[in-house]
Amino acid sequence: MLIAQLTDLHIGAGRRLAYRKVDTATALERAVARVNTMVPKPDMVLFSGDIGDLGTPEEYALVQNILRGLEVPFYMIPGNHDQRAPLRAAFADAMPIEDGVEFINYVIDAGPVRLIALDSLDEGRPEGKLCSARLDWLEHTLHDGDNRPCVLFVHHPPVAVGIKHMDDQRLLSGAETFAQIVLAHKDRIQAIMCGHLHRPIHTRWAGVPLIVAPSIAHQVALDLRDDGPSAFTMEPPAMHLHRWDEKQQCLLTHLAYVDQYDGPHPFFDENGKLIV
């Protein structure tokens, strides 16, 4: 199974540039084209939040239009730039929420692995929140008798990464209880996939790998000073490809750039001799 994780789209209505600089609509179009031409093609795309920039219906209408060209199924969770109601209205099929579930929490039964979506949006706030209702849902889901390996995906990472202005916006409320739940199920949880930070970051948290994907548009500046400014860069847009290896029973994550670069070039010539 191959999953493409695209995150932090920040689409503006009318193709408005984000921060007067970033053409996010074109960035999404290029990411869609890249996914469509991959060999092998991903089985699905997970959009891990910040689908829109202001969370308006007009933004989501533009995303809908662009995603009509995507040739594989896709699923979504909200980020702090989203608004829950218009996002659900626009992408109900991409969020298979059970009846009676208030938040955008759901399960994708993807063959050998369960994908568990968690809604960390605290509307009107940049930092993330997992309230008791959302955590109770997660606890119940992990105890429902399905013992397959599972992967959690949530917009806000629960860890500080050393980029001060983003650490202030991490998952704050509910993080300790979330850690306790994850630790209790660490033998089954293969990874937690996040967005939000606009950088590829890897660590271990509550006994499991925590993997943060880069943005398909702009990246947050890598500044590890305590007083570093809030800033972004136009480093290459990228995505994560998560590959479940059934034989090894493990999840492998690859960084894939959206843009095409020179190559591939062979290491060996037609006679099998190393090119020097």
Side-chain angles (χ1 to χ4, degrees):
M1 185 174 65
L2 189 62
I3 301 165
Q5 181 190 358
L6 279 60
T7 195
D8 295 273
L9 285 54
H10 289 270
I11 301 299
R15 305 181 72 97
R16 173 182 57 82
L17 300 182
Y19 312 108
R20 303 179 184 174
K21 174 73 175 179
V22 190
D23 186 350
T24 55
T26 297
L28 178 57
E29 289 168 342
R30 294 171 74 170
V32 167
R34 177 77 169 99
V35 170
N36 286 344
T37 56
M38 284 181 172
V39 180
K41 191 175 293 184
D43 297 291
M44 68 179 72
V45 170
L46 298 181
F47 290 100
S48 51
D50 284 356
I51 310 304
D53 199 42
L54 301 175
T56 66
E58 293 77 16
E59 291 176 347
Y60 299 138
L62 177 54
V63 177
Q64 283 178 315
N65 186 56
I66 295 172
L67 294 187
R68 287 191 180 97
L70 184 59
E71 296 173 1
V72 300
F74 64 88
Y75 300 91
M76 288 181 176
I77 54 173
N80 52 291
H81 281 257
D82 293 308
Q83 295 292 323
R84 197 173 283 114
L87 184 67
R88 288 183 66 169
F91 296 104
D93 291 343
M95 293 173 281
I97 303 166
E98 297 176 354
D99 292 341
V101 176
E102 178 183 357
F103 299 99
I104 301 176
N105 293 347
Y106 57 89
V107 177
I108 306 167
D109 288 315
V113 179
R114 302 182 88 196
L115 306 175
I116 300 176
L118 285 173
D119 176 348
S120 62
L121 171 60
D122 187 8
E123 289 191 338
R125 302 289 303 175
E127 66 270 15
K129 178 179 182 178
L130 288 177
C131 61
S132 58
R134 284 172 269 193
L135 292 168
D136 288 347
W137 177 90
L138 175 62
E139 187 79 78
H140 173 77
T141 299
L142 290 169
H143 280 105
D144 66 0
D146 191 322
N147 293 318
R148 282 177 294 171
C150 57
V151 172
L152 312 184
F153 61 108
V154 59
H155 181 69
H156 292 84
V159 294
V161 300
I163 303 174
K164 178 64 167 60
H165 65 101
M166 296 306 296
D167 289 342
D168 292 341
Q169 303 177 34
R170 68 186 186 275
L171 177 64
L172 294 175
S173 179
E176 291 185 6
T177 304
F178 184 35
Q180 293 170 4
I181 295 171
V182 170
L183 190 61
H185 297 274
K186 63 183 178 62
D187 292 338
R188 287 175 49 216
I189 297 174
Q190 301 297 305
I192 301 172
M193 303 174 187
C194 303
H196 188 54
L197 298 182
H198 291 242
R199 296 208 65 82
I201 300 172
H202 308 263
T203 188
R204 195 167 183 85
W205 180 81
V208 305
L210 189 143
I211 305 167
V212 183
S215 171
I216 62 164
H218 52 290
Q219 311 306 328
V220 165
L222 179 56
D223 190 329
L224 301 178
R225 295 174 295 176
D226 291 339
D227 59 349
S230 176
F232 66 93
T233 72
M234 299 308 295
E235 293 174 7
M239 67 186 79
H240 272 162
L241 289 177
H242 305 286
R243 181 177 180 268
W244 174 253
D245 188 305
E246 183 69 13
K247 185 176 181 180
Q248 299 185 99
Q249 287 288 293
C250 68
L251 187 76
L252 302 164
T253 297
H254 297 266
L255 178 69
Y257 294 107
V258 170
D259 296 329
Q260 297 287 345
Y261 295 92
D262 187 29
H265 301 287
F267 289 111
F268 300 91
D269 64 19
E270 61 275 10
N271 297 315
K273 190 174 181 179
L274 182 66
I275 299 172
V276 295

